[in-house]
Amino acid sequence: ASRARLFKEYKEVQREKSADPDIQLICDDSNIFKWTAIIKGPSETPFEGGVFQLAFSIPEQYPLLPPQVRFLTKIFHPNVHFKTGEICLDILKNAWSPAWTLQSVCRAIIALMAHPEADSPLNCDSGNLLRSGDIRGYQSMARMYTRLAAMPKKG
């Protein structure tokens, strides 16, 4: 069942490529349970202009169980573990529903990038900046890492 569902999502992704220019989902040629997503940093955030790569590992029981998703691109964000790229997002844990697709998970991650949840930080440095009200400090760190890790090198 999970293969059929993933194949259906694969076909939808192929069909909707132009519909969502901020998300590019790529299925591994040799393994339908491994996907990569390339998402654009949301505008009016420190991540604007950045291109971020996500790794999806899909369980055999998908869509009954959520995919495991992590950032491959380094990102300074309270809900993303700086070293592992693990993402703290309720829909990837206890709020998962089989109605979610890989595409909608990407949209939720983009929304999380724009609206960090400082109360459940995986990156304490980032969370502490936001919790102490140092928005400028957080944004300048996030912008710096976006420039270093997520922006294509010019020239």
Side-chain angles (χ1 to χ4, degrees):
S2 59
R3 279 178 197 280
R5 163 73 181 254
L6 285 167
F7 194 67
K8 183 172 164 253
E9 285 194 41
Y10 177 76
K11 287 204 294 222
E12 275 170 28
V13 164
Q14 299 309 315
R15 207 175 46 239
E16 288 179 21
K17 266 198 172 106
S18 54
D20 204 336
D22 294 340
I23 300 169
Q24 189 185 353
L25 270 165
I26 304 132
C27 180
D28 185 304
D29 291 339
S30 58
N31 184 350
I32 196 153
F33 294 101
K34 297 270 180 240
W35 292 61
T36 305
I38 296 165
I39 59 174
K40 291 193 177 122
S43 58
E44 295 176 32
T45 72
F47 311 108
E48 184 172 10
V51 177
F52 298 84
Q53 201 171 356
L54 304 169
F56 280 75
S57 181
I58 321 273
E60 295 270 349
Q61 300 86 341
Y62 180 83
L64 300 177
L65 291 179
Q68 289 182 310
V69 190
R70 64 189 183 88
F71 273 88
L72 294 176
T73 308
K74 287 263 179 264
I75 181 172
F76 187 78
H77 187 288
N79 309 113
V80 181
H81 192 288
F82 191 72
K83 285 196 169 67
T84 65
E86 179 195 345
I87 303 165
C88 180
L89 183 59
D90 57 356
I91 63 150
L92 294 175
K93 309 253 179 337
N94 51 0
W96 173 256
S97 150
W100 287 88
T101 63
L102 303 184
Q103 186 94 359
S104 57
V105 167
C106 287
R107 281 194 206 104
I109 291 170
I110 292 171
L112 181 71
M113 288 168 80
H115 305 284
E117 296 283 339
D119 292 332
S120 58
L122 282 173
N123 178 331
C124 292
D125 295 336
S126 171
N128 290 340
L129 283 171
L130 283 175
R131 281 205 300 244
S132 69
D134 188 355
I135 307 296
R136 274 185 48 201
Y138 161 74
Q139 288 185 334
S140 70
M141 287 291 289
R143 230 185 328 273
M144 180 187 80
Y145 279 107
T146 298
R147 272 202 296 272
L148 286 173
M151 288 192 167
K153 307 288 178 269
K154 303 235 181 340

PDB file of all heavy atoms in Angstrom, residues 92-131:
ATOM      1  N   LEU A  92       5.096  15.720  12.223  1.00  0.00           N
ATOM      2  CA  LEU A  92       6.048  14.627  11.973  1.00  0.00           C
ATOM      3  C   LEU A  92       6.110  13.678  13.167  1.00  0.00           C
ATOM      4  O   LEU A  92       6.814  12.682  13.142  1.00  0.00           O
ATOM      5  CB  LEU A  92       7.440  15.197  11.681  1.00  0.00           C
ATOM      6  CG  LEU A  92       7.556  16.002  10.389  1.00  0.00           C
ATOM      7  CD1 LEU A  92       8.931  16.619  10.261  1.00  0.00           C
ATOM      8  CD2 LEU A  92       7.232  15.128   9.178  1.00  0.00           C
ATOM      9  N   LYS A  93       5.361  14.016  14.227  1.00  0.00           N
ATOM     10  CA  LYS A  93       5.361  13.169  15.423  1.00  0.00           C
ATOM     11  C   LYS A  93       3.922  12.743  15.734  1.00  0.00           C
ATOM     12  O   LYS A  93       3.350  11.935  15.037  1.00  0.00           O
ATOM     13  CB  LYS A  93       5.980  13.941  16.600  1.00  0.00           C
ATOM     14  CG  LYS A  93       7.349  14.578  16.286  1.00  0.00           C
ATOM     15  CD  LYS A  93       8.478  13.844  16.954  1.00  0.00           C
ATOM     16  CE  LYS A  93       9.876  14.326  16.724  1.00  0.00           C
ATOM     17  NZ  LYS A  93      10.262  15.094  15.579  1.00  0.00           N
ATOM     18  N   ASN A  94       3.349  13.365  16.763  1.00  0.00           N
ATOM     19  CA  ASN A  94       2.045  12.897  17.272  1.00  0.00           C
ATOM     20  C   ASN A  94       0.837  13.444  16.511  1.00  0.00           C
ATOM     21  O   ASN A  94      -0.245  12.916  16.626  1.00  0.00           O
ATOM     22  CB  ASN A  94       1.916  13.238  18.760  1.00  0.00           C
ATOM     23  CG  ASN A  94       2.234  14.704  19.022  1.00  0.00           C
ATOM     24  OD1 ASN A  94       2.544  15.445  18.087  1.00  0.00           O
ATOM     25  ND2 ASN A  94       2.172  15.117  20.267  1.00  0.00           N
ATOM     26  N   ALA A  95       1.008  14.511  15.735  1.00  0.00           N
ATOM     27  CA  ALA A  95      -0.144  15.088  15.028  1.00  0.00           C
ATOM     28  C   ALA A  95      -0.209  14.626  13.563  1.00  0.00           C
ATOM     29  O   ALA A  95      -0.906  15.227  12.756  1.00  0.00           O
ATOM     30  CB  ALA A  95      -0.100  16.617  15.097  1.00  0.00           C
ATOM     31  N   TRP A  96       0.525  13.572  13.241  1.00  0.00           N
ATOM     32  CA  TRP A  96       0.538  13.065  11.869  1.00  0.00           C
ATOM     33  C   TRP A  96      -0.836  12.545  11.472  1.00  0.00           C
ATOM     34  O   TRP A  96      -1.557  11.955  12.276  1.00  0.00           O
ATOM     35  CB  TRP A  96       1.561  11.941  11.737  1.00  0.00           C
ATOM     36  CG  TRP A  96       1.506  11.274  10.393  1.00  0.00           C
ATOM     37  CD1 TRP A  96       0.968  10.054  10.104  1.00  0.00           C
ATOM     38  CD2 TRP A  96       1.990  11.809   9.150  1.00  0.00           C
ATOM     39  NE1 TRP A  96       1.093   9.799   8.754  1.00  0.00           N
ATOM     40  CE2 TRP A  96       1.712  10.851   8.143  1.00  0.00           C
ATOM     41  CE3 TRP A  96       2.626  12.989   8.775  1.00  0.00           C
ATOM     42  CZ2 TRP A  96       2.044  11.046   6.819  1.00  0.00           C
ATOM     43  CZ3 TRP A  96       2.964  13.185   7.450  1.00  0.00           C
ATOM     44  CH2 TRP A  96       2.668  12.222   6.490  1.00  0.00           C
ATOM     45  N   SER A  97      -1.210  12.751  10.223  1.00  0.00           N
ATOM     46  CA  SER A  97      -2.421  12.167   9.662  1.00  0.00           C
ATOM     47  C   SER A  97      -2.087  11.646   8.271  1.00  0.00           C
ATOM     48  O   SER A  97      -1.325  12.280   7.539  1.00  0.00           O
ATOM     49  CB  SER A  97      -3.508  13.230   9.572  1.00  0.00           C
ATOM     50  OG  SER A  97      -4.359  12.949   8.483  1.00  0.00           O
ATOM     51  N   PRO A  98      -2.650  10.495   7.875  1.00  0.00           N
ATOM     52  CA  PRO A  98      -2.392   9.953   6.533  1.00  0.00           C
ATOM     53  C   PRO A  98      -2.840  10.894   5.414  1.00  0.00           C
ATOM     54  O   PRO A  98      -2.483  10.688   4.261  1.00  0.00           O
ATOM     55  CB  PRO A  98      -3.194   8.643   6.512  1.00  0.00           C
ATOM     56  CG  PRO A  98      -3.355   8.266   7.943  1.00  0.00           C
ATOM     57  CD  PRO A  98      -3.436   9.560   8.705  1.00  0.00           C
ATOM     58  N   ALA A  99      -3.605  11.928   5.748  1.00  0.00           N
ATOM     59  CA  ALA A  99      -4.024  12.897   4.727  1.00  0.00           C
ATOM     60  C   ALA A  99      -2.846  13.759   4.269  1.00  0.00           C
ATOM     61  O   ALA A  99      -2.869  14.317   3.181  1.00  0.00           O
ATOM     62  CB  ALA A  99      -5.135  13.786   5.281  1.00  0.00           C
ATOM     63  N   TRP A 100      -1.805  13.879   5.108  1.00  0.00           N
ATOM     64  CA  TRP A 100      -0.623  14.660   4.736  1.00  0.00           C
ATOM     65  C   TRP A 100       0.131  13.956   3.615  1.00  0.00           C
ATOM     66  O   TRP A 100       0.188  12.733   3.574  1.00  0.00           O
ATOM     67  CB  TRP A 100       0.311  14.817   5.936  1.00  0.00           C
ATOM     68  CG  TRP A 100      -0.200  15.764   6.971  1.00  0.00           C
ATOM     69  CD1 TRP A 100      -1.018  15.464   8.026  1.00  0.00           C
ATOM     70  CD2 TRP A 100       0.075  17.168   7.069  1.00  0.00           C
ATOM     71  NE1 TRP A 100      -1.269  16.602   8.759  1.00  0.00           N
ATOM     72  CE2 TRP A 100      -0.613  17.648   8.197  1.00  0.00           C
ATOM     73  CE3 TRP A 100       0.831  18.053   6.302  1.00  0.00           C
ATOM     74  CZ2 TRP A 100      -0.556  18.991   8.577  1.00  0.00           C
ATOM     75  CZ3 TRP A 100       0.883  19.377   6.690  1.00  0.00           C
ATOM     76  CH2 TRP A 100       0.184  19.844   7.816  1.00  0.00           C
ATOM     77  N   THR A 101       0.708  14.749   2.716  1.00  0.00           N
ATOM     78  CA  THR A 101       1.549  14.195   1.663  1.00  0.00           C
ATOM     79  C   THR A 101       2.961  14.750   1.851  1.00  0.00           C
ATOM     80  O   THR A 101       3.164  15.659   2.665  1.00  0.00           O
ATOM     81  CB  THR A 101       1.036  14.623   0.273  1.00  0.00           C
ATOM     82  OG1 THR A 101       1.131  16.058   0.186  1.00  0.00           O
ATOM     83  CG2 THR A 101      -0.397  14.178   0.040  1.00  0.00           C
ATOM     84  N   LEU A 102       3.911  14.247   1.093  1.00  0.00           N
ATOM     85  CA  LEU A 102       5.282  14.770   1.177  1.00  0.00           C
ATOM     86  C   LEU A 102       5.291  16.248   0.809  1.00  0.00           C
ATOM     87  O   LEU A 102       5.998  17.054   1.421  1.00  0.00           O
ATOM     88  CB  LEU A 102       6.211  13.971   0.253  1.00  0.00           C
ATOM     89  CG  LEU A 102       6.258  12.459   0.514  1.00  0.00           C
ATOM     90  CD1 LEU A 102       7.282  11.801  -0.396  1.00  0.00           C
ATOM     91  CD2 LEU A 102       6.570  12.146   1.969  1.00  0.00           C
ATOM     92  N   GLN A 103       4.484  16.613  -0.165  1.00  0.00           N
ATOM     93  CA  GLN A 103       4.379  18.007  -0.586  1.00  0.00           C
ATOM     94  C   GLN A 103       3.843  18.879   0.551  1.00  0.00           C
ATOM     95  O   GLN A 103       4.376  19.958   0.826  1.00  0.00           O
ATOM     96  CB  GLN A 103       3.447  18.080  -1.808  1.00  0.00           C
ATOM     97  CG  GLN A 103       3.357  19.447  -2.456  1.00  0.00           C
ATOM     98  CD  GLN A 103       4.333  19.606  -3.611  1.00  0.00           C
ATOM     99  OE1 GLN A 103       5.082  18.703  -3.919  1.00  0.00           O
ATOM    100  NE2 GLN A 103       4.318  20.758  -4.242  1.00  0.00           N
ATOM    101  N   SER A 104       2.782  18.411   1.225  1.00  0.00           N
ATOM    102  CA  SER A 104       2.208  19.224   2.301  1.00  0.00           C
ATOM    103  C   SER A 104       3.149  19.280   3.504  1.00  0.00           C
ATOM    104  O   SER A 104       3.173  20.278   4.227  1.00  0.00           O
ATOM    105  CB  SER A 104       0.806  18.733   2.691  1.00  0.00           C
ATOM    106  OG  SER A 104       0.804  17.386   3.071  1.00  0.00           O
ATOM    107  N   VAL A 105       3.947  18.235   3.714  1.00  0.00           N
ATOM    108  CA  VAL A 105       4.962  18.274   4.776  1.00  0.00           C
ATOM    109  C   VAL A 105       5.980  19.376   4.459  1.00  0.00           C
ATOM    110  O   VAL A 105       6.361  20.159   5.330  1.00  0.00           O
ATOM    111  CB  VAL A 105       5.663  16.899   4.933  1.00  0.00           C
ATOM    112  CG1 VAL A 105       6.913  17.019   5.787  1.00  0.00           C
ATOM    113  CG2 VAL A 105       4.710  15.884   5.548  1.00  0.00           C
ATOM    114  N   CYS A 106       6.381  19.472   3.195  1.00  0.00           N
ATOM    115  CA  CYS A 106       7.319  20.545   2.794  1.00  0.00           C
ATOM    116  C   CYS A 106       6.715  21.917   3.066  1.00  0.00           C
ATOM    117  O   CYS A 106       7.396  22.815   3.564  1.00  0.00           O
ATOM    118  CB  CYS A 106       7.677  20.424   1.311  1.00  0.00           C
ATOM    119  SG  CYS A 106       8.777  19.040   0.954  1.00  0.00           S
ATOM    120  N   ARG A 107       5.430  22.071   2.739  1.00  0.00           N
ATOM    121  CA  ARG A 107       4.762  23.359   2.994  1.00  0.00           C
ATOM    122  C   ARG A 107       4.762  23.670   4.486  1.00  0.00           C
ATOM    123  O   ARG A 107       4.961  24.822   4.888  1.00  0.00           O
ATOM    124  CB  ARG A 107       3.328  23.338   2.462  1.00  0.00           C
ATOM    125  CG  ARG A 107       3.285  23.555   0.981  1.00  0.00           C
ATOM    126  CD  ARG A 107       1.882  23.879   0.474  1.00  0.00           C
ATOM    127  NE  ARG A 107       1.810  23.465  -0.919  1.00  0.00           N
ATOM    128  CZ  ARG A 107       1.193  22.368  -1.346  1.00  0.00           C
ATOM    129  NH1 ARG A 107       0.572  21.584  -0.509  1.00  0.00           N
ATOM    130  NH2 ARG A 107       1.204  22.065  -2.628  1.00  0.00           N
ATOM    131  N   ALA A 108       4.512  22.646   5.319  1.00  0.00           N
ATOM    132  CA  ALA A 108       4.488  22.855   6.776  1.00  0.00           C
ATOM    133  C   ALA A 108       5.875  23.254   7.286  1.00  0.00           C
ATOM    134  O   ALA A 108       5.992  24.088   8.185  1.00  0.00           O
ATOM    135  CB  ALA A 108       4.002  21.578   7.472  1.00  0.00           C
ATOM    136  N   ILE A 109       6.919  22.675   6.694  1.00  0.00           N
ATOM    137  CA  ILE A 109       8.289  23.019   7.110  1.00  0.00           C
ATOM    138  C   ILE A 109       8.610  24.458   6.705  1.00  0.00           C
ATOM    139  O   ILE A 109       9.216  25.210   7.475  1.00  0.00           O
ATOM    140  CB  ILE A 109       9.301  22.004   6.525  1.00  0.00           C
ATOM    141  CG1 ILE A 109       9.105  20.646   7.210  1.00  0.00           C
ATOM    142  CG2 ILE A 109      10.740  22.500   6.701  1.00  0.00           C
ATOM    143  CD1 ILE A 109       9.847  19.491   6.578  1.00  0.00           C
ATOM    144  N   ILE A 110       8.166  24.876   5.523  1.00  0.00           N
ATOM    145  CA  ILE A 110       8.371  26.263   5.101  1.00  0.00           C
ATOM    146  C   ILE A 110       7.632  27.214   6.052  1.00  0.00           C
ATOM    147  O   ILE A 110       8.164  28.247   6.449  1.00  0.00           O
ATOM    148  CB  ILE A 110       7.913  26.460   3.633  1.00  0.00           C
ATOM    149  CG1 ILE A 110       8.857  25.704   2.692  1.00  0.00           C
ATOM    150  CG2 ILE A 110       7.875  27.944   3.264  1.00  0.00           C
ATOM    151  CD1 ILE A 110       8.401  25.641   1.235  1.00  0.00           C
ATOM    152  N   ALA A 111       6.415  26.828   6.454  1.00  0.00           N
ATOM    153  CA  ALA A 111       5.653  27.647   7.405  1.00  0.00           C
ATOM    154  C   ALA A 111       6.382  27.724   8.752  1.00  0.00           C
ATOM    155  O   ALA A 111       6.444  28.785   9.381  1.00  0.00           O
ATOM    156  CB  ALA A 111       4.249  27.078   7.595  1.00  0.00           C
ATOM    157  N   LEU A 112       6.972  26.604   9.181  1.00  0.00           N
ATOM    158  CA  LEU A 112       7.726  26.590  10.437  1.00  0.00           C
ATOM    159  C   LEU A 112       8.959  27.492  10.341  1.00  0.00           C
ATOM    160  O   LEU A 112       9.314  28.170  11.309  1.00  0.00           O
ATOM    161  CB  LEU A 112       8.152  25.153  10.768  1.00  0.00           C
ATOM    162  CG  LEU A 112       8.933  24.969  12.073  1.00  0.00           C
ATOM    163  CD1 LEU A 112       8.018  25.173  13.282  1.00  0.00           C
ATOM    164  CD2 LEU A 112       9.562  23.578  12.137  1.00  0.00           C
ATOM    165  N   MET A 113       9.592  27.517   9.172  1.00  0.00           N
ATOM    166  CA  MET A 113      10.752  28.395   8.984  1.00  0.00           C
ATOM    167  C   MET A 113      10.347  29.853   9.210  1.00  0.00           C
ATOM    168  O   MET A 113      11.088  30.637   9.790  1.00  0.00           O
ATOM    169  CB  MET A 113      11.337  28.225   7.577  1.00  0.00           C
ATOM    170  CG  MET A 113      12.055  26.903   7.383  1.00  0.00           C
ATOM    171  SD  MET A 113      12.431  26.580   5.638  1.00  0.00           S
ATOM    172  CE  MET A 113      13.897  27.596   5.401  1.00  0.00           C
ATOM    173  N   ALA A 114       9.136  30.208   8.762  1.00  0.00           N
ATOM    174  CA  ALA A 114       8.664  31.582   8.888  1.00  0.00           C
ATOM    175  C   ALA A 114       8.143  31.888  10.296  1.00  0.00           C
ATOM    176  O   ALA A 114       8.155  33.029  10.725  1.00  0.00           O
ATOM    177  CB  ALA A 114       7.568  31.848   7.855  1.00  0.00           C
ATOM    178  N   HIS A 115       7.689  30.845  10.997  1.00  0.00           N
ATOM    179  CA  HIS A 115       7.092  31.048  12.327  1.00  0.00           C
ATOM    180  C   HIS A 115       7.698  30.065  13.327  1.00  0.00           C
ATOM    181  O   HIS A 115       7.076  29.067  13.664  1.00  0.00           O
ATOM    182  CB  HIS A 115       5.571  30.857  12.260  1.00  0.00           C
ATOM    183  CG  HIS A 115       4.920  31.724  11.243  1.00  0.00           C
ATOM    184  ND1 HIS A 115       4.696  33.066  11.433  1.00  0.00           N
ATOM    185  CD2 HIS A 115       4.475  31.455   9.990  1.00  0.00           C
ATOM    186  CE1 HIS A 115       4.133  33.580  10.353  1.00  0.00           C
ATOM    187  NE2 HIS A 115       3.993  32.631   9.455  1.00  0.00           N
ATOM    188  N   PRO A 116       8.916  30.346  13.797  1.00  0.00           N
ATOM    189  CA  PRO A 116       9.578  29.422  14.724  1.00  0.00           C
ATOM    190  C   PRO A 116       8.830  29.299  16.048  1.00  0.00           C
ATOM    191  O   PRO A 116       8.198  30.250  16.495  1.00  0.00           O
ATOM    192  CB  PRO A 116      10.961  30.046  14.924  1.00  0.00           C
ATOM    193  CG  PRO A 116      10.866  31.445  14.448  1.00  0.00           C
ATOM    194  CD  PRO A 116       9.717  31.527  13.488  1.00  0.00           C
ATOM    195  N   GLU A 117       8.908  28.116  16.623  1.00  0.00           N
ATOM    196  CA  GLU A 117       8.315  27.839  17.940  1.00  0.00           C
ATOM    197  C   GLU A 117       9.446  27.780  18.958  1.00  0.00           C
ATOM    198  O   GLU A 117      10.051  26.736  19.159  1.00  0.00           O
ATOM    199  CB  GLU A 117       7.571  26.495  17.905  1.00  0.00           C
ATOM    200  CG  GLU A 117       6.388  26.439  16.977  1.00  0.00           C
ATOM    201  CD  GLU A 117       5.172  27.148  17.563  1.00  0.00           C
ATOM    202  OE1 GLU A 117       5.124  27.326  18.797  1.00  0.00           O
ATOM    203  OE2 GLU A 117       4.286  27.528  16.787  1.00  0.00           O
ATOM    204  N   ALA A 118       9.710  28.897  19.623  1.00  0.00           N
ATOM    205  CA  ALA A 118      10.865  28.968  20.526  1.00  0.00           C
ATOM    206  C   ALA A 118      10.665  28.160  21.802  1.00  0.00           C
ATOM    207  O   ALA A 118      11.616  27.921  22.547  1.00  0.00           O
ATOM    208  CB  ALA A 118      11.173  30.424  20.862  1.00  0.00           C
ATOM    209  N   ASP A 119       9.438  27.715  22.073  1.00  0.00           N
ATOM    210  CA  ASP A 119       9.185  27.003  23.326  1.00  0.00           C
ATOM    211  C   ASP A 119       9.550  25.528  23.274  1.00  0.00           C
ATOM    212  O   ASP A 119       9.631  24.877  24.313  1.00  0.00           O
ATOM    213  CB  ASP A 119       7.718  27.165  23.743  1.00  0.00           C
ATOM    214  CG  ASP A 119       7.415  28.604  24.135  1.00  0.00           C
ATOM    215  OD1 ASP A 119       8.354  29.300  24.582  1.00  0.00           O
ATOM    216  OD2 ASP A 119       6.266  29.028  23.968  1.00  0.00           O
ATOM    217  N   SER A 120       9.763  24.977  22.070  1.00  0.00           N
ATOM    218  CA  SER A 120      10.196  23.575  22.010  1.00  0.00           C
ATOM    219  C   SER A 120      11.453  23.494  21.154  1.00  0.00           C
ATOM    220  O   SER A 120      11.443  22.913  20.079  1.00  0.00           O
ATOM    221  CB  SER A 120       9.084  22.690  21.440  1.00  0.00           C
ATOM    222  OG  SER A 120       8.718  23.146  20.158  1.00  0.00           O
ATOM    223  N   PRO A 121      12.555  24.122  21.650  1.00  0.00           N
ATOM    224  CA  PRO A 121      13.733  24.218  20.781  1.00  0.00           C
ATOM    225  C   PRO A 121      14.551  22.932  20.728  1.00  0.00           C
ATOM    226  O   PRO A 121      14.699  22.233  21.724  1.00  0.00           O
ATOM    227  CB  PRO A 121      14.544  25.346  21.427  1.00  0.00           C
ATOM    228  CG  PRO A 121      14.195  25.280  22.873  1.00  0.00           C
ATOM    229  CD  PRO A 121      12.766  24.785  22.935  1.00  0.00           C
ATOM    230  N   LEU A 122      15.044  22.627  19.533  1.00  0.00           N
ATOM    231  CA  LEU A 122      16.094  21.617  19.372  1.00  0.00           C
ATOM    232  C   LEU A 122      17.436  22.328  19.287  1.00  0.00           C
ATOM    233  O   LEU A 122      18.477  21.739  19.520  1.00  0.00           O
ATOM    234  CB  LEU A 122      15.864  20.822  18.077  1.00  0.00           C
ATOM    235  CG  LEU A 122      14.790  19.753  18.117  1.00  0.00           C
ATOM    236  CD1 LEU A 122      14.556  19.176  16.735  1.00  0.00           C
ATOM    237  CD2 LEU A 122      15.175  18.653  19.079  1.00  0.00           C
ATOM    238  N   ASN A 123      17.394  23.614  18.902  1.00  0.00           N
ATOM    239  CA  ASN A 123      18.591  24.450  18.879  1.00  0.00           C
ATOM    240  C   ASN A 123      18.399  25.484  19.982  1.00  0.00           C
ATOM    241  O   ASN A 123      17.703  26.480  19.808  1.00  0.00           O
ATOM    242  CB  ASN A 123      18.741  25.117  17.512  1.00  0.00           C
ATOM    243  CG  ASN A 123      19.947  26.040  17.435  1.00  0.00           C
ATOM    244  OD1 ASN A 123      20.374  26.612  18.427  1.00  0.00           O
ATOM    245  ND2 ASN A 123      20.493  26.200  16.248  1.00  0.00           N
ATOM    246  N   CYS A 124      19.003  25.219  21.161  1.00  0.00           N
ATOM    247  CA  CYS A 124      18.764  26.063  22.328  1.00  0.00           C
ATOM    248  C   CYS A 124      19.307  27.474  22.147  1.00  0.00           C
ATOM    249  O   CYS A 124      18.700  28.433  22.605  1.00  0.00           O
ATOM    250  CB  CYS A 124      19.349  25.420  23.581  1.00  0.00           C
ATOM    251  SG  CYS A 124      18.444  23.930  24.023  1.00  0.00           S
ATOM    252  N   ASP A 125      20.453  27.606  21.458  1.00  0.00           N
ATOM    253  CA  ASP A 125      21.005  28.954  21.238  1.00  0.00           C
ATOM    254  C   ASP A 125      20.000  29.813  20.492  1.00  0.00           C
ATOM    255  O   ASP A 125      19.730  30.957  20.864  1.00  0.00           O
ATOM    256  CB  ASP A 125      22.303  28.882  20.420  1.00  0.00           C
ATOM    257  CG  ASP A 125      23.411  28.162  21.180  1.00  0.00           C
ATOM    258  OD1 ASP A 125      23.345  28.138  22.427  1.00  0.00           O
ATOM    259  OD2 ASP A 125      24.323  27.634  20.525  1.00  0.00           O
ATOM    260  N   SER A 126      19.438  29.245  19.460  1.00  0.00           N
ATOM    261  CA  SER A 126      18.460  29.952  18.646  1.00  0.00           C
ATOM    262  C   SER A 126      17.185  30.218  19.439  1.00  0.00           C
ATOM    263  O   SER A 126      16.653  31.328  19.439  1.00  0.00           O
ATOM    264  CB  SER A 126      18.176  29.100  17.405  1.00  0.00           C
ATOM    265  OG  SER A 126      17.109  29.597  16.690  1.00  0.00           O
ATOM    266  N   GLY A 127      16.709  29.210  20.146  1.00  0.00           N
ATOM    267  CA  GLY A 127      15.501  29.359  20.963  1.00  0.00           C
ATOM    268  C   GLY A 127      15.671  30.400  22.055  1.00  0.00           C
ATOM    269  O   GLY A 127      14.768  31.201  22.310  1.00  0.00           O
ATOM    270  N   ASN A 128      16.847  30.413  22.700  1.00  0.00           N
ATOM    271  CA  ASN A 128      17.093  31.378  23.782  1.00  0.00           C
ATOM    272  C   ASN A 128      17.102  32.806  23.270  1.00  0.00           C
ATOM    273  O   ASN A 128      16.612  33.712  23.950  1.00  0.00           O
ATOM    274  CB  ASN A 128      18.412  31.069  24.499  1.00  0.00           C
ATOM    275  CG  ASN A 128      18.318  29.791  25.324  1.00  0.00           C
ATOM    276  OD1 ASN A 128      17.220  29.346  25.657  1.00  0.00           O
ATOM    277  ND2 ASN A 128      19.456  29.195  25.642  1.00  0.00           N
ATOM    278  N   LEU A 129      17.671  33.029  22.087  1.00  0.00           N
ATOM    279  CA  LEU A 129      17.655  34.377  21.503  1.00  0.00           C
ATOM    280  C   LEU A 129      16.218  34.859  21.328  1.00  0.00           C
ATOM    281  O   LEU A 129      15.883  35.988  21.711  1.00  0.00           O
ATOM    282  CB  LEU A 129      18.374  34.391  20.143  1.00  0.00           C
ATOM    283  CG  LEU A 129      19.896  34.376  20.167  1.00  0.00           C
ATOM    284  CD1 LEU A 129      20.443  34.168  18.760  1.00  0.00           C
ATOM    285  CD2 LEU A 129      20.447  35.664  20.768  1.00  0.00           C
ATOM    286  N   LEU A 130      15.368  34.007  20.788  1.00  0.00           N
ATOM    287  CA  LEU A 130      13.970  34.399  20.560  1.00  0.00           C
ATOM    288  C   LEU A 130      13.224  34.566  21.877  1.00  0.00           C
ATOM    289  O   LEU A 130      12.473  35.526  22.052  1.00  0.00           O
ATOM    290  CB  LEU A 130      13.262  33.364  19.681  1.00  0.00           C
ATOM    291  CG  LEU A 130      13.589  33.423  18.191  1.00  0.00           C
ATOM    292  CD1 LEU A 130      12.920  32.272  17.454  1.00  0.00           C
ATOM    293  CD2 LEU A 130      13.138  34.745  17.593  1.00  0.00           C
ATOM    294  N   ARG A 131      13.459  33.634  22.815  1.00  0.00           N
ATOM    295  CA  ARG A 131      12.734  33.711  24.091  1.00  0.00           C
ATOM    296  C   ARG A 131      13.127  34.941  24.894  1.00  0.00           C
ATOM    297  O   ARG A 131      12.324  35.490  25.623  1.00  0.00           O
ATOM    298  CB  ARG A 131      12.956  32.438  24.904  1.00  0.00           C
ATOM    299  CG  ARG A 131      12.080  31.289  24.417  1.00  0.00           C
ATOM    300  CD  ARG A 131      11.819  30.295  25.496  1.00  0.00           C
ATOM    301  NE  ARG A 131      13.059  29.724  25.966  1.00  0.00           N
ATOM    302  CZ  ARG A 131      13.406  28.459  25.850  1.00  0.00           C
ATOM    303  NH1 ARG A 131      12.579  27.617  25.289  1.00  0.00           N
ATOM    304  NH2 ARG A 131      14.543  28.014  26.298  1.00  0.00           N
TER     305      ARG A 131
END
